[in-house]
Amino acid sequence: MRSMNIAERRARLGVRHRLAAAERTDDVAAVARSLVVLHATDPATVFLSVAARSVQAVPSMVERALYDDRTLLRMLAMRRTMFVAPVELVPVLQSSTATALAAKQRRTYSRFIEQAGVVEDAVAFFGEVEEGAHRALLARGEATGAQLSADEPRLRTQVDPAPGKPYSRPTNITTWVLVTLGCEGLIVRGRPNGTWISSQYRWSPIEAWLPAGIPEIPADDARAALVEHWLRAFGPAPLSDLRWWTGWTVGEVRKALAPLGVTEVDLDGTTGLVMTDDLEPVAPPEPWAALLPALDPTPMGWQERGWFLGDHGPALFDRNGNIGPSVWWDGRIVGGWAQRKDGEIAVRLLDDVGADARAAIDREAVRTAAWYGDVRAIPRFRTPLERELTS
């Protein structure tokens, strides 16, 4: 079995994730493609992930790709996580993941409605409200949830999802319905009501991004295609990393791998997978520095992160496994950073990296501060070091 050591994996990371200086680009869609998808649970992550991999890009260039050129689309997919995806990958994500997620969401929300005793047939009711909301959006062309609930009053139906629990409170079903329609591939989150860090979106029909709708692909073919995309961006890696990233069962992952040309390699004692035509070593890039945001797709691409994270996990991750802002030097995490209230980018190194590395990291901090400009953004999931740097 061929071996691929940590140095080779780090070289691939720097080159293929466009973190090495020579690989950076101002083509926003190309950045997304290099990472398969961009994490978008925190809206700022999308913009800051692009910033770290760009030469001279500014936030308006990301907004143009998202809302004017529409080469990117925001959608729920793997692990019920929000992503920004290249539009050409949307059919793969829809058939491999989102369609099944929509069915699961509908079952969950219908059960809440049934338990609340709102209507006799919760499944039929939920479907009817979906249809009404979709018709209203098609008529408007673009709308907020509040505007749609004025057109389809049943969206304002109040449901307590956990009656009797101290943390529960009644909520209307507007978000439930719109999220499900989004998972079905019928509607899409458009431009936000605010700056690039806002998560209050206006909704549009999917036809605004894809005039013919989302092309249908057999689910098995879509899963195999998604696995290949991931392996080319994140491989070599153990099957357990792929299973975690997709959120699929081991059986589903193995079935998706079956039609692909995949080779097993030794990763310092662990068996990893790589595309068979991708066994040649990647030339190490020049040493590089990067400041990656919370939930960046690079550190969130693997479940086993020891080969680039070292022992810094407790400082940089929250209790739910979400990474905060991280400082990288030449393929490994060496510290963390945070934006303070006055806009300063505060950096703390957790490893001794030397003067040259420190100077390169300082230059990245200046670039990051310039990208923010007057915008101040607190990560949605805060981590110990980020909190400490901003206290």
Side-chain angles (χ1 to χ4, degrees):
M1 185 184 296
R2 172 173 174 169
S3 295
M4 286 191 170
N5 61 24
I6 289 176
E8 187 165 348
R9 296 183 78 185
R10 290 177 177 172
R12 287 176 175 240
L13 183 156
V15 170
R16 296 187 176 179
H17 290 201
R18 297 186 179 274
L19 292 166
E23 308 300 327
R24 293 181 179 181
T25 178
D26 291 335
D27 184 334
V28 176
V31 171
R33 292 185 193 104
S34 68
L35 296 156
V36 187
V37 287
L38 300 173
H39 272 255
T41 302
D42 188 333
T45 299
V46 175
F47 289 79
L48 296 171
S49 292
V50 172
R53 297 165 172 88
S54 70
V55 181
Q56 294 181 320
V58 292
S60 62
M61 294 171 66
V62 183
E63 292 176 320
R64 184 166 64 246
L66 276 166
Y67 311 124
D68 298 326
D69 299 340
R70 299 187 176 183
T71 55
L72 301 173
L73 182 148
R74 187 178 276 105
M75 65 185 296
L76 281 179
M78 293 71 67
R79 307 187 313 281
R80 200 185 176 278
T81 298
M82 186 71 70
F83 295 101
V84 161
V87 290
E88 69 271 15
L89 191 63
V90 169
V92 168
L93 295 171
Q94 184 66 44
S95 296
S96 69
T97 307
T99 297
L101 179 58
K104 183 177 181 180
Q105 297 291 104
R106 189 178 298 104
R107 289 194 300 270
T108 298
Y109 296 141
S110 296
R111 185 173 68 251
F112 290 154
I113 294 169
E114 182 179 6
Q115 290 172 347
V118 173
V119 294
E120 290 186 4
D121 189 339
V123 174
F125 172 78
F126 194 83
E128 290 168 4
V129 179
E130 277 192 275
E131 291 176 3
H134 190 212
R135 282 195 303 270
L137 183 58
L138 288 171
R140 282 183 175 267
E142 182 183 72
T144 64
Q147 289 170 329
L148 292 174
S149 66
D151 297 339
E152 172 49 86
R154 290 175 294 182
L155 287 169
R156 299 181 187 145
T157 302
Q158 292 280 305
V159 174
D160 188 344
K165 301 294 185 181
Y167 54 81
S168 183
R169 59 184 177 84
T171 183
N172 65 45
I173 67 171
T174 302
T175 298
W176 296 355
V177 170
L178 297 180
V179 165
T180 304
L181 285 169
C183 290
E184 289 180 311
L186 296 175
I187 68 175
V188 62
R189 295 163 181 80
R191 193 181 294 272
N193 294 321
T195 69
W196 53 269
I197 65 172
S198 172
S199 59
Q200 299 297 316
Y201 302 106
R202 297 194 287 272
W203 294 86
S204 296
I206 187 63
E207 290 81 4
W209 265 253
L210 299 168
I214 300 176
E216 292 187 12
I217 300 175
D220 288 346
D221 294 349
R223 290 194 182 101
L226 184 59
V227 165
E228 180 172 353
H229 278 284
W230 186 86
L231 282 173
R232 294 196 183 280
F234 293 90
L239 183 144
S240 57
D241 284 350
L242 177 55
R243 188 210 61 77
W244 174 82
W245 187 85
T246 58
W248 303 338
T249 66
V250 171
E252 289 171 332
V253 172
R254 291 191 184 280
K255 186 176 180 180
L257 285 165
L260 303 177
V262 176
T263 295
E264 293 185 343
V265 294
D266 174 54
L267 304 177
D268 295 318
T270 299
T271 299
L273 303 174
V274 67
M275 296 299 295
T276 302
D277 62 1
D278 190 27
L279 289 167
E280 291 302 312
V282 171
E286 291 294 317
W288 53 270
L291 269 61
L292 298 187
L295 297 176
D296 184 85
T298 290
M300 294 300 292
W302 296 271
Q303 184 180 39
E304 204 304 295
R305 306 177 176 101
W307 57 279
F308 61 80
L309 177 62
D311 59 359
H312 302 320
L316 297 175
F317 280 78
D318 71 8
R319 294 179 180 179
N320 295 316
N322 300 305
I323 193 170
S326 56
V327 177
W328 291 68
W329 173 247
D330 208 19
R332 62 191 178 95
I333 293 178
V334 297
W337 64 275
Q339 184 197 40
R340 291 180 170 155
K341 291 181 180 180
D342 62 359
E344 177 193 359
I345 302 300
V347 170
R348 178 173 297 170
L349 296 181
L350 302 174
D351 290 336
D352 183 1
V353 294
D356 290 345
R358 178 73 217 209
I361 291 166
D362 287 345
R363 288 193 292 271
E364 291 300 307
V366 172
R367 285 204 326 130
T368 302
W371 180 281
Y372 275 109
D374 294 332
V375 172
R376 302 290 177 264
I378 298 173
R380 182 162 296 187
F381 303 104
R382 306 197 68 186
T383 51
L385 183 55
E386 188 273 334
R387 287 182 180 275
E388 187 176 339
L389 288 173
T390 55
S391 64

